[in-house]
Amino acid sequence: MKTKTLLGPIWDFLLLGGFSILIWPVFWLGADSSTMNSTIDHIYPVISLCFGLPHFMLSYFIYYGSLGGRLPERSASVMISTVIPLALILFMAYGFLQYTGENLRLVIMLMFFLLGWHYVRQVFGLTILYYRRQGVELSSVRRLLHFHLMALWVYALIISSREPGDYIGVGYPQIPFPAFFEPLALAVLVGSGLVLGWRYAHTIRQWPPAAVLALLFSVYFWLLPEFHFGSYFLFVPIFHSFQYLGAVIPYRIGKQASKKAILIYLAAASA
């Protein structure tokens, strides 16, 4: 049976996470290069705008468009579409009007807390989607996969909070997790990964597609500080946007049209 991809095996591998893994050595080797860091400082805002903004706008278009002009009825939808955005806007507006950095500091801490959760949830959803397109159901390992990815998020959150941090000039404090949390979270992460691998091998019985391996391994690079050489961490949201756009665009408008649309957009963004 011919397997169904999103854009083709190579495109899928690169956009769903492979590119962020392949380019990592560049950041590792150039971590102490003043020329590279200066170049990144100049191009990062433009790259972030070109690839981050379409990710957000497409998400809003899909979600709010699915409501069909109607007000959301479910409580979860009301929270997602209305309450949470308004609360964040009012909170940041208050901080701006009060001329205090404390609100911004809290928003940044909330952002870092939720980013990892957002990344692993996207990887989980796209993994299920990719297998489903190939006629494979992951019902036997679905909960294990979700548990393992959430364990990665918790472990990354703990080790990222060892020391106070700084983001765009705004400092935020260390989160004082108890000392035993880190080895416990690592044990859960490794243990769940081993159980997931064993379960997958005995139920699915096929080697994961390269795109799925890119999905699962890339999120380790994105979340674990050990991989954050140079400015790599700043580019993680861009890699995340590649992943989202590389899956959602072809899923919505088809493979051939997506290839043309993505190539045209890449050319325009580069210009």
Side-chain angles (χ1 to χ4, degrees), residues 4-8 11-13 15-16 58 62 126 129-130 133 241-263:
K4 295 181 180 180
T5 60
L6 293 166
L7 289 167
W11 278 78
D12 291 355
F13 171 77
L15 290 175
L16 296 185
L58 185 57
I62 292 173
L126 292 182
L129 169 68
Y130 205 83
R133 284 181 68 87
S241 297
F242 285 167
Q243 188 182 82
Y244 180 84
L245 295 172
V248 173
I249 291 177
Y251 188 74
R252 300 283 294 190
I253 68 174
K255 182 184 295 186
Q256 295 304 320
S258 297
K259 285 184 178 181
K260 294 179 181 179
I262 290 175
L263 286 173

Side-chain angles (χ1 to χ4, degrees), residues 106-116 167:
L106 292 174
V107 169
I108 288 175
M109 292 179 67
L110 177 63
M111 177 186 72
F112 282 127
F113 177 78
L114 294 176
L115 267 181
Y167 182 73

Side-chain angles (χ1 to χ4, degrees), residues 34-152:
S34 57
T35 301
M36 178 176 174
N37 291 330
S38 176
T39 302
I40 288 174
D41 288 342
H42 284 85
I43 67 173
Y44 171 75
V46 178
I47 296 177
S48 179
L49 179 65
C50 288
F51 299 106
L53 186 59
H55 164 212
F56 295 129
M57 297 309 296
L58 185 57
S59 301
Y60 301 150
F61 176 77
I62 292 173
Y63 179 74
Y64 289 103
S66 68
L67 297 177
R70 303 183 306 271
L71 293 175
E73 298 177 357
R74 295 186 305 166
S75 57
S77 296
V78 174
M79 289 292 294
I80 293 170
S81 65
T82 308
V83 176
I84 293 177
L86 285 177
L88 287 173
I89 291 171
L90 291 174
F91 184 72
M92 288 186 286
Y94 173 78
F96 176 78
L97 294 174
Q98 294 297 314
Y99 295 100
T100 173
E102 187 61 28
N103 291 56
L104 183 57
R105 184 175 293 110
L106 292 174
V107 169
I108 288 175
M109 292 179 67
L110 177 63
M111 177 186 72
F112 282 127
F113 177 78
L114 294 176
L115 267 181
W117 175 83
H118 177 56
Y119 290 164
V120 299
R121 288 285 295 175
Q122 176 166 295
V123 167
F124 172 73
L126 292 182
T127 301
I128 301 298
L129 169 68
Y130 205 83
Y131 272 106
R132 188 165 292 170
R133 284 181 68 87
Q134 301 189 6
V136 178
E137 288 293 334
L138 294 182
S139 55
S140 59
V141 297
R142 183 186 180 106
R143 290 185 178 180
L144 277 172
L145 174 62
H146 186 261
F147 182 84
H148 177 68
L149 289 172
M150 296 302 286
L152 172 62

